[in-house]
Amino acid sequence: MPSSVPSPAAWLRGCRRPSWLSDPKVLRTEVLAGLVVALALIPEAISFSIIAGVDPAIGLFASFTMAVTIAVVGGRPAMISAATGAVALVIAPLNREHGFGHLVAAVILAGVIQIVLGALGVARLLRFVPRSVMVGFVNSLAILVFMAQVPELTDVPWPVYPLLAAGLALMVFFPRVTAVVPAPLVSITVLTVLTVAAGIAVPTVGDKGELPSALPVPGLPDVPFTLDTLTTVAPYALAMALVGLMESLMTAKLVDDITDTTSSKTRESVGQGVANIVTGFFGGMGGCAMIGQTMINVRVSGARTRLSTFLAGAFLMVLCIVFGPVVSDIPMAALVAVMVMVSVATFDWHSVAPKTLRRMPAGEITVMVVTVACVIATHNLAIGVVVGSVIAMAVFARRVARVAEVTAVTDPDGSSVVYRVTGELFFASSDDLVGRFSYATDPEHVVIDLSAAHVWDASSVAALDTVEAKYARRGKRVEITGLNEPSAHLHRRLSGELTGGH
């Protein structure tokens, strides 16, 4: 009997060849996209290092190891993972109070937690995020990307503003000339050459911090391996793991929608954990998916494969170590222009159009607005998504609870009455159910027909028990009919057990 396990040769033949190996256009797009993202990563990584209270090289190392590792083990091709502001905010207090060694230990532990959560299927929870929350997530991240550029435009020399305008103009009009070279790369190159050649004094990448001159070296965190250390870093590691997974999975879903493709969210969850463990052992500050840089890669540059993600990390180190002096001369106005274009392209303008708002239910609009407000107030996308999802569930429960209807039909001879219940019976609708019956005036035989209803929880069973008890106190008999199999099973299991027989 032939073996069902394919031979190595057959397995290799069955592997899909990367598109960039067979299509020079795809290869060019991926390479140039990786270069643009690498340039955009440098000031971001340095800024997030400052937030976390660590040396700028730590954030750059983290961006390098995160991007290179996730390119191999991640579930969403073309998504960029690197050092992020959300992670920096979580671990900053730990670094400030206990030192850098504890920060690295927390990063490694967070990676382990993410692997465990991924294996447990936490990614499946993403299906409970409604569209209104997703729209709020997209719009809020666009606003955050724009807000992050504002400090680069305040208290700066006046040439920054014409440079910004020139960069925006290049990115708007250059694609009409050719799409061979990404417009952001052209904008960065032109503005850098202009400022250096003309000797224009404006803030540059080099002003953000010193770039590293060597590759990171792996090692263990400098902490005592004791239970006390574990209890110190565990809360921060858990918070980092949850925030990182939330942002990464939401970003992956966004990229799925943009590219009209699917990706493995479970693999992405595990991959984020592996990337953080690798980053921790190389002395990085950890991270997760970067929304702004992912939009540059996918939406602005048109990248679609893992190659662009890998090259973003590889180019980042090459630019820092080999071309550090050149990169340091890039004016911040050029990178700000790129990020402004990203925020404009990311924002879902259709969602706030008057025509759309007039047609949208008030509850959906409320959820979207609350999601955006929470994210902007906390600068934490995960908090906005959680709050928005909870409110969306509450709105849905309130809406569904109103669907439950009770109609009564009395037999002509007056000997019995049939109450037909229609809709979903759960905690939000079951309380109202009890008050829909005429206990005092109904005949001795009462039929409750649930053939058009579904019993979802213990609250509904308890409500039905209460109805029966109210009739029983008046010497009347209740007959419940029409239960579907799941409802009947729940009713048989819980009826009479929830109210102590009263």
Side-chain angles (χ1 to χ4, degrees):
M1 187 174 181
S3 172
S4 59
V5 179
S7 66
W11 182 83
L12 286 172
R13 286 194 300 271
C15 287
R16 291 182 59 189
R17 191 182 186 191
S19 57
W20 50 267
L21 278 178
S22 55
D23 190 338
K25 291 183 179 179
V26 174
L27 177 60
R28 182 183 63 240
T29 298
E30 298 297 312
V31 172
L32 293 177
L35 180 57
V36 173
V37 172
L39 290 169
L41 275 174
I42 294 173
E44 295 279 297
I46 294 174
S47 298
F48 297 146
S49 300
I50 295 171
I51 293 173
V54 298
D55 188 89
I58 302 301
L60 292 165
F61 289 155
S63 296
F64 162 62
T65 53
M66 286 292 297
V68 169
T69 306
I70 207 68
V72 178
V73 301
R76 174 63 258 178
M79 190 168 78
I80 305 297
S81 290
T84 58
V87 169
L89 288 170
V90 170
I91 60 178
L94 178 64
N95 179 63
R96 186 169 56 250
E97 295 171 15
H98 299 279
F100 181 67
H102 283 75
L103 181 151
V104 173
V107 170
I108 296 173
L109 181 58
V112 174
I113 294 172
Q114 287 177 329
I115 292 175
V116 173
L117 292 175
L120 292 175
V122 71
R124 289 194 293 269
L125 295 176
L126 199 64
R127 62 184 175 178
F128 293 106
V129 178
R131 183 185 179 279
S132 53
V133 174
M134 190 65 193
V135 172
F137 169 82
V138 170
N139 290 344
S140 57
L141 73 87
I143 295 171
L144 284 185
V145 169
F146 181 82
M147 289 174 60
Q149 312 315 309
V150 174
E152 305 296 337
L153 300 174
T154 54
D155 298 324
V156 293
W158 69 265
V160 167
Y161 304 109
L163 286 173
L164 174 67
L168 293 173
L170 279 170
M171 284 183 284
V172 170
F173 296 109
F174 186 80
R176 301 181 184 181
V177 178
T178 178
V180 173
V181 182
L185 182 59
V186 174
S187 177
I188 293 171
T189 303
V190 170
L191 294 186
T192 302
V193 171
L194 176 63
T195 54
V196 172
I200 302 174
V202 291
T204 64
V205 170
D207 296 331
K208 286 289 183 180
E210 187 178 351
L211 301 182
S213 57
L215 289 171
V217 178
L220 294 175
D222 184 19
V223 293
F225 293 91
T226 62
L227 182 61
D228 183 60
T229 300
L230 179 62
T231 55
T232 299
V233 303
Y236 297 94
L238 178 60
M240 176 183 164
L242 294 176
V243 169
L245 277 186
M246 178 71 75
E247 292 210 17
S248 299
L249 294 177
M250 291 294 290
T251 305
K253 189 174 187 298
L254 176 60
V255 177
D256 288 351
D257 294 340
I258 293 172
T259 60
D260 197 25
T261 57
T262 59
S263 61
S264 172
K265 304 304 183 296
T266 296
R267 178 175 172 179
E268 184 61 40
S269 301
V270 174
Q272 288 290 328
V274 173
N276 273 305
I277 291 174
V278 172
T279 298
F281 281 121
F282 275 92
M285 57 181 279
C288 61
M290 285 198 82
I291 296 157
Q293 276 63 24
T294 296
M295 291 300 100
I296 293 175
N297 198 45
V298 175
R299 175 163 274 172
V300 178
S301 301
R304 292 293 183 269
T305 75
R306 298 176 184 275
L307 180 63
S308 58
T309 305
F310 177 86
L311 290 178
F315 282 149
L316 174 64
M317 281 294 98
V318 172
L319 289 170
C320 290
I321 295 172
V322 181
F323 300 102
V326 176
V327 172
S328 296
D329 287 334
I330 295 175
M332 285 301 300
L335 298 177
V336 169
V338 173
M339 299 309 292
V340 169
M341 285 297 294
V342 168
S343 66
V344 172
T346 302
F347 195 90
D348 187 350
W349 297 100
H350 177 73
S351 66
V352 296
K355 183 179 178 181
T356 304
L357 294 176
R358 282 195 298 268
R359 294 183 177 183
M360 285 279 286
E364 301 281 320
I365 297 174
T366 300
V367 170
M368 180 179 70
V369 171
V370 169
T371 301
V372 172
C374 286
V375 171
I376 293 175
T378 63
H379 283 234
N380 190 321
L381 289 161
I383 292 177
V385 170
V386 171
V387 173
S389 297
V390 170
I391 294 177
M393 291 177 187
V395 170
F396 173 76
R398 186 168 179 265
R399 187 180 302 160
V400 173
R402 291 179 175 180
V403 174
E405 296 291 340
V406 179
T407 55
V409 178
T410 305
D411 279 355
D413 60 4
S415 62
S416 66
V417 62
V418 177
Y419 283 94
R420 181 174 176 82
V421 182
T422 304
E424 310 299 321
L425 300 181
F426 64 112
F427 62 89
S429 58
S430 55
D431 285 344
D432 183 56
L433 179 69
V434 177
R436 306 295 288 275
F437 298 87
S438 302
Y439 301 100
T441 58
D442 279 341
E444 293 183 357
H445 183 210
V446 177
V447 178
I448 302 177
D449 179 10
L450 296 174
S451 57
H454 187 98
V455 178
W456 285 103
D457 59 5
S459 298
S460 302
V461 176
L464 292 172
D465 285 353
T466 301
V467 171
E468 289 188 81
K470 284 179 174 289
Y471 277 114
R473 286 197 292 270
R474 293 169 173 80
K476 300 174 183 181
R477 180 172 61 89
V478 173
E479 179 184 358
I480 297 177
T481 64
L483 286 167
N484 57 36
E485 184 54 37
S487 300
H489 175 71
L490 184 66
H491 187 262
R492 284 194 303 268
R493 187 155 57 93
L494 297 179
S495 182
E497 303 295 330
L498 301 170
T499 59
H502 300 293

